[in-house]
Amino acid sequence: MEDISKLNDYLSIIEIESIINDFLKYYDDKILSKNDKIYAYDQLCEIADRQCNTYTLLDKELQSKVTSFLIKYIDFNDFDIMDAILYIIPNLGLKKAFDFILNNKNQISSDEIKKLLDVCCLEYGENVEDPYSGMK
């Protein structure tokens, strides 16, 4: 898998969709160690940054696939993983992923992660599915 951070910050939506599909294909059915998860989530953060730069909502099917990936590898009590996931969610408009976390909030035992989630709820709560809502 190519290091996304080395790509241009401004890519077309077609290029972003291709990168996301390649990413998902690469990680499909892999067993990931904690370090592998963190690396994968870091790569998704890079993709999310580039997606935001397109000012276009991500295709619903891709949103669903990325949500499935996030849910598959989530660790509710690992700060690095939750921080990355909570960064990716609003940038890609992943409302279902955010709802999943909120519905499973009781699995979070870390006060630091609970605080992070509270901040995220205040920051983008109801507008999570449209990262451009504040620009309209």
Side-chain angles (χ1 to χ4, degrees), residues 23 25-33 36 69 72-73:
F23 173 89
K25 200 176 298 178
Y26 179 81
Y27 284 104
D28 188 38
D29 294 328
K30 288 199 188 299
I31 297 172
L32 302 180
S33 68
D36 292 337
F69 176 85
K72 180 177 181 179
Y73 294 111

Side-chain angles (χ1 to χ4, degrees), residues 35-78:
N35 287 338
D36 292 337
K37 288 178 190 178
I38 290 171
Y39 180 78
Y41 285 131
D42 284 346
Q43 292 297 290
L44 263 180
C45 286
E46 293 288 341
I47 293 168
D49 282 343
R50 284 154 180 81
Q51 166 60 29
C52 261
N53 290 338
T54 68
Y55 298 98
T56 305
L57 293 175
L58 188 62
D59 174 78
K60 293 287 184 197
E61 183 180 335
L62 277 179
Q63 284 181 342
S64 179
K65 289 179 181 180
V66 174
T67 294
S68 294
F69 176 85
L70 295 180
I71 290 170
K72 180 177 181 179
Y73 294 111
I74 198 168
D75 181 342
F76 286 103
N77 290 295
D78 185 293

Side-chain angles (χ1 to χ4, degrees), residues 31-129:
I31 297 172
L32 302 180
S33 68
K34 177 183 174 177
N35 287 338
D36 292 337
K37 288 178 190 178
I38 290 171
Y39 180 78
Y41 285 131
D42 284 346
Q43 292 297 290
L44 263 180
C45 286
E46 293 288 341
I47 293 168
D49 282 343
R50 284 154 180 81
Q51 166 60 29
C52 261
N53 290 338
T54 68
Y55 298 98
T56 305
L57 293 175
L58 188 62
D59 174 78
K60 293 287 184 197
E61 183 180 335
L62 277 179
Q63 284 181 342
S64 179
K65 289 179 181 180
V66 174
T67 294
S68 294
F69 176 85
L70 295 180
I71 290 170
K72 180 177 181 179
Y73 294 111
I74 198 168
D75 181 342
F76 286 103
N77 290 295
D78 185 293
F79 184 84
D80 293 328
I81 289 173
M82 291 302 292
D83 187 40
I85 289 172
L86 290 169
Y87 179 82
I88 294 162
I89 285 173
N91 288 319
L92 297 182
L94 305 178
K95 181 171 178 17
K96 289 181 182 174
F98 192 58
D99 289 345
F100 176 81
I101 291 171
L102 293 178
N103 290 334
N104 290 280
K105 193 174 169 179
N106 62 328
Q107 292 186 43
I108 301 172
S109 59
S110 163
D111 289 337
E112 188 177 24
I113 296 172
K114 287 178 184 178
K115 287 177 189 173
L116 176 64
L117 183 57
D118 289 343
V119 168
C120 292
C121 285
L122 290 173
E123 186 177 326
Y124 51 76
E126 303 218 359
N127 296 318
V128 70
E129 62 193 322

